[in-house]
Amino acid sequence: MKDGSLVSVIIPVYNNERTLKKCITSIVDQTYQNVEIILVDDGSHDNSRKICNSFKDERISVIHNSNHGVAYSRNCGIENSKGDYITFCDADDYYDDTHIEELMATVKKYNADITVCGYYTEDKNGNKKSLQGLSGYKSKEDIIKGLTISNTYGGFCWNKLFKKNVIGDVRFPDDLSLLEDTYFFLKSITESKANLLFI
């Protein structure tokens, strides 16, 4: 799928040598190719640094920092992003081949500011369990209730695609060791006029 919209995929990396290559390869091989992949190495002391530097793809940029934590790494990725849209992937996860294409097709169809998709978990034997979200538009009030009361949607950021201008100055709080991604998602919603769509 060819499209003029650039998608920035931000990957915080810290000692992920066992899973990192699969993660990066899954994004390089997306059917939607207009992406930039920002790898933010948070002072890894295994082979993660070497793996980051081993990919020869002009869409990939690598930032090496001393250890500051995942929130700092994601913020660093946002600051260095050039995309019209921003999404995140953890270095121990990976995308299906059509993941970004499907998100962008939904964005184009509905003009959603924040798009949230279902996902699945995979155990060490490769068995998958699907966890799908509820489809359709959701109000800010519905989303906030779903995050704070029922945890219906998940506060994590790796199954969400944001218009960059919706994020604005919102950043991950680097003084939190837990729920920094939930804070980021809620802040992005409450400080914007975001149209949210679940697929």
Side-chain angles (χ1 to χ4, degrees):
M1 176 181 180
K2 293 184 178 179
D3 190 283
S5 298
L6 177 65
V7 177
S8 299
V9 184
I10 297 168
I11 307 174
V13 178
Y14 182 68
N15 294 341
N16 300 109
E17 63 180 6
R18 293 190 304 108
T19 58
L20 182 56
K21 185 175 181 179
K22 182 176 182 178
C23 172
I24 299 171
T25 300
S26 77
I27 300 170
V28 168
D29 291 343
Q30 287 291 297
T31 53
Y32 189 96
Q33 287 282 293
N34 195 16
V35 299
E36 66 167 357
I37 303 165
I38 304 173
L39 305 172
V40 186
D41 175 29
D42 192 36
S44 296
H45 47 77
D46 63 356
N47 286 320
S48 294
R49 180 186 182 96
K50 182 178 179 180
I51 294 169
C52 286
N53 293 334
S54 70
F55 281 82
K56 307 304 179 187
D57 189 309
E58 63 183 11
R59 298 171 300 164
I60 296 177
S61 59
V62 183
I63 301 169
H64 295 291
N65 291 327
S66 55
N67 184 250
H68 293 285
V70 66
Y72 183 94
S73 294
R74 289 181 181 140
N75 290 338
C76 185
I78 293 171
E79 294 295 337
N80 285 276
S81 65
K82 300 179 179 68
D84 307 292
Y85 294 85
I86 292 178
T87 189
F88 304 87
C89 188
D90 288 347
D92 58 353
D93 293 332
Y94 65 93
Y95 288 167
D96 283 341
D97 292 348
T98 59
H99 175 75
I100 297 177
E101 180 178 353
E102 292 179 21
L103 286 171
M104 289 304 296
T106 302
V107 166
K108 186 175 181 179
K109 183 176 181 179
Y110 296 101
N111 192 32
D113 293 329
I114 302 174
T115 306
V116 184
C117 66
Y119 59 95
Y120 58 80
T121 60
E122 183 176 314
D123 65 22
K124 62 182 180 181
N125 297 317
N127 300 312
K128 297 178 181 179
K129 179 181 178 182
S130 180
L131 297 167
Q132 296 293 334
L134 302 175
S135 62
Y137 282 103
K138 304 297 175 185
S139 69
K140 291 183 183 181
E141 292 76 16
D142 286 340
I143 299 301
I144 291 170
K145 287 179 182 178
L147 285 169
T148 59
I149 298 174
S150 64
N151 195 29
T152 305
Y153 310 123
F156 28 75
C157 57
W158 39 256
N159 69 330
K160 299 170 179 67
L161 180 74
F162 301 82
K163 278 187 180 178
K164 189 172 185 179
N165 61 5
V166 167
I167 292 175
D169 294 329
V170 176
R171 296 295 182 268
F172 293 86
D174 55 17
D175 58 343
L176 293 181
S177 58
L178 292 172
L179 301 177
E180 79 289 337
D181 42 6
T182 301
Y183 173 93
F184 176 84
F185 184 36
L186 283 170
K187 196 74 170 175
S188 297
I189 296 168
T190 56
E191 293 204 355
S192 73
K193 296 180 180 178
N195 297 313
L196 291 97
L197 183 70
F198 283 71
I199 62 173

